[in-house]
Amino acid sequence: MPFSACTKKKKKCKKKKSEGNHSKEVCGYPISIFFIVVNEFCERFSYYGMRAVLVLYFKFFLRWDDDLSTSIYHTFVALCYLTPILGAIVADSWLGKFKTIIYLSIVYAIGQVAMAVSAIHDITDTDRDGTPDNMIFHVVMSMVGLFLIALGTGGIKPCVAAFGGDQFGDHQEKQRRTFFSVFYLCINGGSLLSTIITPILRAQECGIYSQQKCYSLAFGVPAALMVVALVVFIAGSGMYYKAEPQGNIMLDVSKCIGFAIKNRYRHRSKQFPKRKHWMDWAEEKYDKLLIAQIKMVLKVLFLYIPLPVFWTLFDQKGSRWTLQATTMDGNFGLLVIQPDQMQTVNPILILTLVPIMDSVVYPLIKKCGLNFTKIEKCLLCVGDLFQKLCVSEKYFTFEGEQILVTVENHHPVSQDVSLTKQMRHTLLIPSVINDTWLLTEDLISKPEQGYNGIRFINGLATAVNVSSPAVDFGLIQPLNYTTYSLVQYGKTTFTLRSGSQSCEFSKEFGYGSSYAFFIPSTLVFGPTCQESITVIEEIKPNSVHMALQIPQYFFITAGEVMFSVTGLEFSYSQAPSNMKAVLQAGWLLTVAIGNFIVLIVAEAAKIPLKWAEYVLFASLLIAMCVLFSIMAYFYTYIDPTEIEAQFKTMTNEDDEKHKNGEIQMLKKGSVNQKDHFNKDKKQTRL
């Protein structure tokens, strides 16, 4: 008895302590939720900031092609939406939400730091040319980092919001609803700020020995924010209400389904009578109420089958759409947008569309006749959409590799010129025609990341030194040319020097162009230098504006608002009260499958034309809409609460009957025992 009383006393004290945590309030809200909200904002900033520049890191730092960059990006996103299932199981069955968030946040922060380290080019740049010499190190570090990030961000995803909800008492239902609204706002706020800031950081140049795009800083700031998120969350430890793990319903559901399948397989012979539903084969081991609840969940999960196709399009805004933006013009007048910053359109539209979808957007769509032209319209000649070579019309195309070039002068002069297939050349012919002719190899594709490739050709009889604040071309010998150098968007001033003479030449650059600047033999150093330089446009700058991506962002975001909000609302209304987490896991699984579909198309299908790939995904989505409409037409709405109540009533009645039966048997047994006892007594007397 003393031990029993002590145990009850401890439980009572523990309960009072929990209630005490609920009582610490500021303006009616538990003080602990402020730490959770700040933690969520910093964590979302960390995740979306890293993800915003990820595909460009793959392409321009690790030097992967578009398809491989897209595939690895979507593999990572898919893992981020698979690991929540693991996180929910660990939290509910083993560690509890608080410890799960702490441990996985540490893993998360280590992954972010690994990503930042993997982007430091100076670590393996032994020859100091700006390019890593041991790319294996950077690839391994980045893959380890991404795996840890996927494990961390996915693992804590189902825990943080639920842990925040645990902090409210029964009397704080209104405050709990407000918390979830603020929580969702923090997600989009962190996403918005990070996709604005990290592309700016990436566009900076940094390095110890050579200056390159600063991916290490773009990953380093999200890593620092994740550390801040962890510290803030730990700081509130003493104020949290920490519910003990109660067991994971997903494990129970999985075991019940597994037993039903196994039992049905065992009784597959025709001698066993069929049952109304295949889940009824679990009745030998599991409660009928649980089976009925699983049936309701499976009914909703069946409707999820077409849904991954939506996510195949939606999540491409961070991969294909960002790569698309690198070939476009980001000059918005007073503002110059980086390709990865276009992703900010999504959270901006979410914050705008959620409250005004019904009152503003729909009427505008009806009134505005939006006309979207195809982007390749202004691009010339050969190749694939956004990988086309926009060449000057001064180039000529030859099928043969040997051509005969004749210069008509007082006496015609001809020379054989050897060309290289699928290359572009410029033939430099000196004023003294009989001198050596120079054949140069020109750029055959747009410079990466919106840079402009430029070179100078010296037609003077003397050497010329050409320099600019960003690039030093050095001394150019007579009738010679420089290699291509890259300059950024904007105005650049070049200084030409020959002996004591000098002059300046300026040029305004766009994005993704290539120029050859010819210094004529008639150049006179002085004020007329600007007009004397001949500008040869080899590759036209990006003429398609990034603003043309806004309509596609608008429609995909409008689809997200209608799809996600209504989809989750429907799912929750049709799910049993104790299986909301199961449906949440199913919903996240559709996101993962959608990203795997992109991976399959990018790597297996290898569609050479990007516009054809977009048409394929659009066609899949249209087919999904038709299929989903048919499935929805035949769907019958249910009331899970009513069904559960019916089963509970039946269970109570069965329990009552069983209890009454036991009482009757007990009474009957008592009489029999008495008779038997008396009989034995008589026998003893005899």
Side-chain angles (χ1 to χ4, degrees):
M1 286 296 287
F3 176 79
S4 177
C6 181
T7 304
K8 290 180 179 178
K9 186 176 181 181
K10 287 182 179 179
K11 287 183 179 178
K12 188 176 181 181
C13 292
K14 186 175 181 181
K15 185 177 180 182
K16 285 183 178 179
K17 185 178 180 181
S18 299
E19 290 173 352
N21 282 341
H22 281 305
S23 64
K24 297 177 181 178
E25 300 177 3
V26 174
C27 300
Y29 293 87
I31 193 171
S32 56
I33 67 161
F34 295 99
F35 294 92
I36 298 172
V37 166
V38 173
N39 166 269
E40 181 65 12
F41 175 83
C42 294
E43 188 274 327
R44 289 291 86 185
F45 186 107
S46 176
Y47 173 73
Y48 284 109
M50 176 277 304
R51 182 171 147 176
V53 301
L54 187 59
V55 74
L56 299 184
Y57 167 76
F58 290 155
K59 182 174 181 179
F60 300 123
F61 188 94
L62 298 183
R63 315 305 297 178
W64 292 345
D65 61 24
D66 285 5
D67 288 340
L68 182 58
S69 300
T70 300
S71 299
I72 300 300
Y73 174 88
H74 286 283
T75 300
F76 165 70
V77 175
L79 285 176
C80 290
Y81 285 95
L82 284 175
T83 49
I85 300 174
L86 177 63
I89 293 174
V90 170
D92 292 342
S93 304
W94 180 26
L95 295 177
K97 298 183 186 73
F98 176 75
K99 290 183 179 179
T100 301
I101 295 171
I102 293 291
Y103 296 154
L104 289 182
S105 292
I106 294 173
V107 172
Y108 193 166
I110 293 173
Q112 289 283 31
V113 171
M115 282 299 297
V117 172
S118 75
I120 303 175
H121 65 277
D122 289 311
I123 293 178
T124 62
D125 186 14
T126 54
D127 56 4
R128 302 184 180 181
D129 64 347
T131 304
D133 298 318
N134 184 9
M135 195 61 76
I136 295 177
F137 167 81
H138 298 277
V139 171
V140 171
M141 282 292 293
S142 61
M143 293 302 102
V144 170
L146 288 178
F147 176 76
L148 295 178
I149 292 170
L151 187 62
T153 188
I156 69 175
K157 192 184 292 291
C159 301
V160 179
F163 186 70
D166 290 344
Q167 307 309 307
F168 294 87
D170 294 337
H171 65 289
Q172 297 173 308
E173 187 62 33
K174 180 180 178 181
Q175 287 85 348
R176 182 186 283 113
R177 289 196 299 268
T178 305
F179 162 74
F180 283 115
S181 299
V182 174
F183 191 84
Y184 185 71
L185 184 64
C186 286
I187 292 175
N188 288 283
S191 170
L192 175 60
L193 285 179
S194 63
T195 47
I196 292 174
I197 294 173
T198 53
I200 295 175
L201 300 177
R202 174 198 62 80
Q204 307 304 310
E205 293 191 346
C206 62
I208 301 173
Y209 307 120
S210 61
Q211 299 291 301
Q212 300 296 328
K213 290 296 182 183
C214 208
Y215 288 97
S216 56
L217 183 61
F219 290 142
V221 170
L225 263 292
M226 190 58 224
V227 173
V228 171
L230 178 60
V231 171
V232 169
F233 188 76
I234 294 176
S237 176
M239 306 177 190
Y240 298 137
Y241 167 69
K242 304 166 188 174
E244 295 296 326
Q246 300 295 324
N248 194 287
I249 188 65
M250 284 193 289
L251 286 179
D252 296 335
V253 171
S254 300
K255 289 178 181 178
C256 185
I257 292 175
F259 179 80
I261 295 173
K262 186 178 179 180
N263 198 31
R264 178 67 183 91
Y265 180 76
R266 286 176 179 174
H267 300 84
R268 61 188 181 277
S269 176
K270 293 183 179 179
Q271 66 181 8
F272 297 102
K274 292 184 178 181
R275 301 185 182 182
K276 291 183 178 181
H277 194 280
W278 62 271
M279 276 302 304
D280 293 334
W281 288 97
E283 289 180 349
E284 283 82 352
K285 186 176 180 181
Y286 290 91
D287 184 64
K288 289 185 178 181
L289 175 60
L290 176 63
I291 295 172
Q293 291 170 332
I294 294 175
K295 288 179 183 178
M296 289 184 270
V297 168
L298 292 175
K299 190 176 181 182
V300 178
L301 290 178
F302 178 73
L303 286 179
Y304 282 178
I305 292 176
L307 304 189
V309 181
F310 173 82
W311 301 113
T312 63
L313 274 77
F314 179 79
D315 280 331
Q316 287 189 58
K317 67 183 187 299
S319 57
R320 291 294 197 207
W321 290 15
T322 300
L323 294 173
Q324 183 187 76
T326 62
T327 65
M328 305 174 79
D329 183 2
N331 182 12
F332 283 78
L334 298 176
L335 189 64
V336 177
I337 298 295
Q338 299 295 326
D340 33 359
Q341 283 181 315
M342 282 301 294
Q343 297 177 57
T344 60
V345 176
N346 177 248
I348 290 173
L349 286 174
I350 286 178
L351 295 174
T352 305
L353 289 178
V354 168
I356 64 171
M357 177 65 75
D358 292 329
S359 58
V360 177
V361 174
Y362 291 142
L364 285 178
I365 292 177
K366 294 178 181 179
K367 293 180 181 179
C368 299
L370 300 177
N371 182 26
F372 305 110
T373 56
K374 295 179 69 175
I375 292 181
E376 74 266 35
K377 183 176 181 180
C378 65
L379 302 177
L380 301 177
C381 16
V382 275
D384 176 21
L385 179 61
F386 293 115
Q387 296 175 342
K388 294 188 177 206
L389 182 57
C390 305
V391 301
S392 168
E393 294 179 358
K394 297 177 183 177
Y395 278 94
F396 299 94
T397 303
F398 302 94
E399 294 188 6
E401 295 184 52
Q402 289 286 334
I403 62 172
L404 180 66
V405 179
T406 301
V407 178
E408 295 287 348
N409 204 346
H410 298 294
H411 301 286
V413 177
S414 300
Q415 284 194 23
D416 287 321
V417 178
S418 298
L419 305 176
T420 304
K421 281 187 176 181
Q422 297 182 344
M423 293 295 295
R424 303 169 77 228
H425 303 272
T426 295
L427 181 61
L428 304 179
I429 303 174
S431 55
V432 180
I433 298 177
N434 291 323
D435 288 350
T436 304
W437 295 9
L438 292 179
L439 186 70
T440 72
E441 288 191 353
D442 302 350
L443 289 177
I444 61 173
S445 62
K446 282 181 170 291
E448 296 176 337
Q449 305 185 65
Y451 278 112
N452 301 279
I454 61 172
R455 62 176 176 173
F456 280 84
I457 302 171
N458 184 14
L460 290 171
T462 59
V464 177
N465 182 282
V466 180
S467 64
S468 72
V471 180
D472 186 1
F473 293 90
L475 196 65
I476 312 172
Q477 297 299 325
L479 195 60
N480 214 322
Y481 57 93
T482 67
T483 58
Y484 285 96
S485 295
L486 299 178
V487 297
Q488 293 182 337
Y489 165 87
K491 185 177 181 180
T492 301
T493 300
F494 304 94
T495 302
L496 286 67
R497 291 188 178 88
S498 180
S500 60
Q501 302 181 91
S502 66
C503 66
E504 290 186 344
F505 164 71
S506 298
K507 171 67 178 172
E508 189 80 29
F509 293 99
Y511 293 91
S513 63
S514 174
Y515 292 94
F517 300 124
F518 180 68
I519 305 173
S521 59
T522 58
L523 175 71
V524 176
F525 287 89
T528 61
C529 185
Q530 181 75 29
E531 292 76 21
S532 300
I533 302 295
T534 301
V535 179
I536 304 170
E537 186 181 71
E538 298 175 337
I539 298 178
K540 294 182 180 296
N542 299 343
S543 56
V544 180
H545 205 277
M546 285 186 193
L548 285 179
Q549 282 195 327
I550 293 177
Q552 64 197 54
Y553 271 101
F554 171 79
F555 285 113
I556 200 70
T557 305
E560 178 196 7
V561 171
M562 293 185 289
F563 179 79
S564 294
V565 176
T566 58
L568 285 173
E569 182 182 353
F570 165 79
S571 301
Y572 272 62
S573 70
Q574 296 296 286
S577 57
N578 64 334
M579 293 194 182
K580 308 297 186 184
V582 178
L583 274 183
Q584 177 71 10
W587 183 269
L588 296 176
L589 186 62
T590 65
V591 183
I593 295 173
N595 281 273
F596 279 128
I597 293 174
V598 181
L599 168 64
I600 293 170
V601 172
E603 281 301 311
K606 292 285 185 183
I607 300 175
L609 300 175
K610 292 296 178 287
W611 65 265
E613 184 175 295
Y614 295 144
V615 170
L616 171 63
F617 284 121
S619 302
L620 286 174
L621 186 56
I622 292 173
M624 183 273 281
C625 291
V626 173
L627 175 61
F628 187 75
S629 299
I630 296 173
M631 295 170 65
Y633 178 79
F634 290 100
Y635 181 85
T636 303
Y637 281 84
I638 59 173
D639 186 351
T641 306
E642 183 178 343
I643 294 176
E644 289 176 327
Q646 291 175 359
F647 270 89
K648 288 177 181 177
T649 302
M650 292 170 58
T651 303
N652 292 335
E653 290 176 355
D654 290 342
D655 290 343
E656 189 67 27
K657 290 179 181 178
H658 183 67
K659 183 178 179 181
N660 292 335
E662 286 183 341
I663 293 173
Q664 294 297 327
M665 288 294 295
L666 183 61
K667 290 180 178 178
K668 186 176 181 182
S670 301
V671 173
N672 291 339
Q673 277 187 331
K674 185 176 180 181
D675 292 343
H676 182 70
F677 176 75
N678 291 335
K679 185 177 180 183
D680 287 344
K681 281 183 69 176
K682 291 177 182 178
Q683 288 178 344
T684 304
R685 287 176 181 173
L686 285 172

